[in-house]
Amino acid sequence: GAVVSQHPSWVICKSGTSVKIECRSLDFQATTMFWYRQFPKQSLMLMATSNEGSKATYEQGVEKDKFLINHASLTLSTLTVTSAHPEDSSFYICSARSRLAVFNEQFFGPGTRLTVL
Amino acid sequence: GQNIDQPTEMTATEGAIVQINCTYQTSGFNGLFWYQQHAGEAPTFLSYNVLDGLEEKGRFSSFLSRSKGYSYLLLKELQMKDSASYLCAVRDPGSARQLTFGSGTQLTVLP
């Protein structure tokens, strides 16, 4: 149980285009999902917290107009990187929190490797 | 503010025991997690401590001292597959229960 999927697993795009990444909780309902960014050999940096049916809460320094987050259902959250630039190239990971988990812990998706040319 | 420190790298030998330390200074505390992350993959949950003491789970154990802001992850009978990054994360007590991660410790297990 507690499986989180992400799609796509990797994407290459041209500078200036937009990319959408999907995060799904496959076998549980996730009222809260989190989006992280991880640069090579660095740890996970929280970008935003997404609650179903409400606006996402962004961390300081993360542009909400550039990283659009939609959490339309209890099993799906999407992150759209708008007007992507090479500096946006990174590993994007989502996680979902399950109330039914023993420690109320977060379960992570497999990540999406974004490369902007 | 949030400050979580871990050693950057550690090396150990197959079959040995290794202890990865984590110290934290955070504005709130609602538990400490350890995750394992292999290169290019998502983190996987290893352990959770919210009270002081040792939690044992097979070859992995985790210890917490809240008064000292200190935790460690103990790995016994090391295997080659244990080579990975180990992330210490503190959970915020707020409604969102956000995690703040340390920079991770890259463990290399040598034959």
Side-chain angles (χ1 to χ4, degrees):
Chain A
V3 177
V4 177
S5 71
Q6 274 184 247
H7 179 80
S9 56
W10 60 271
V11 57
I12 301 173
C13 69
K14 292 183 178 180
S15 184
T17 60
S18 294
V19 174
K20 179 186 282 189
I21 302 170
E22 292 186 349
C23 176
R24 294 181 184 272
S25 56
L26 298 184
D27 51 2
F28 67 98
Q29 292 184 335
T31 53
T32 305
M33 289 185 170
F34 304 88
W35 286 96
Y36 296 85
R37 181 167 49 183
Q38 186 176 34
F39 292 106
K41 297 190 177 182
Q42 295 186 24
S43 191
L44 282 75
M45 298 300 295
L46 180 66
M47 298 176 67
T49 301
S50 170
N51 292 299
E52 186 264 339
S54 63
K55 291 184 178 180
T57 302
Y58 290 81
E59 294 301 297
Q60 194 172 10
V62 178
E63 300 175 56
K64 62 180 181 180
D65 294 330
K66 180 172 181 60
F67 298 98
L68 301 179
I69 292 173
N70 184 282
H71 192 161
S73 76
L74 287 172
T75 59
L76 173 65
S77 177
T78 60
L79 168 68
T80 301
V81 183
T82 62
S83 187
H85 290 285
E87 57 265 30
D88 297 324
S89 298
S90 187
F91 193 48
Y92 291 86
I93 304 177
C94 74
S95 71
R97 186 160 62 89
S98 169
R99 291 177 176 173
L100 300 180
V102 174
F103 305 117
N104 203 13
E105 68 265 34
Q106 295 180 25
F107 296 94
F108 288 83
T112 297
R113 173 85 48 201
L114 170 63
T115 302
V116 184
L117 303 176
Chain B
Q2 314 286 75
N3 189 33
I4 301 174
D5 289 318
Q6 306 177 232
T8 305
E9 296 177 324
M10 297 185 72
T11 304
T13 307
E14 194 174 14
I17 299 173
V18 70
Q19 177 174 311
I20 303 174
N21 296 324
C22 171
T23 57
Y24 63 91
Q25 293 174 310
T26 57
S27 55
F29 182 84
N30 186 248
L32 186 143
F33 292 82
W34 284 96
Y35 283 86
Q36 179 192 61
Q37 185 181 26
H38 286 98
E41 299 180 11
T44 55
F45 169 78
L46 290 178
S47 70
Y48 171 71
N49 295 71
V50 67
L51 299 176
D52 292 351
L54 187 69
E55 295 285 341
E56 297 186 80
K57 192 174 166 183
R59 294 190 299 115
F60 294 76
S61 303
S62 57
F63 172 83
L64 175 68
S65 169
R66 290 171 296 170
S67 62
K68 295 181 180 178
Y70 168 69
S71 173
Y72 67 72
L73 179 69
L74 193 71
L75 293 78
K76 303 176 185 176
E77 300 170 15
L78 281 173
Q79 302 174 9
M80 300 296 289
K81 67 178 182 179
D82 296 329
S83 292
S85 181
Y86 291 85
L87 306 172
C88 170
V90 172
R91 184 162 68 185
D92 184 89
S95 59
R97 305 279 184 97
Q98 296 172 345
L99 292 178
T100 300
F101 283 85
S103 56
T105 299
Q106 183 63 47
L107 174 66
T108 302
V109 180
L110 302 174

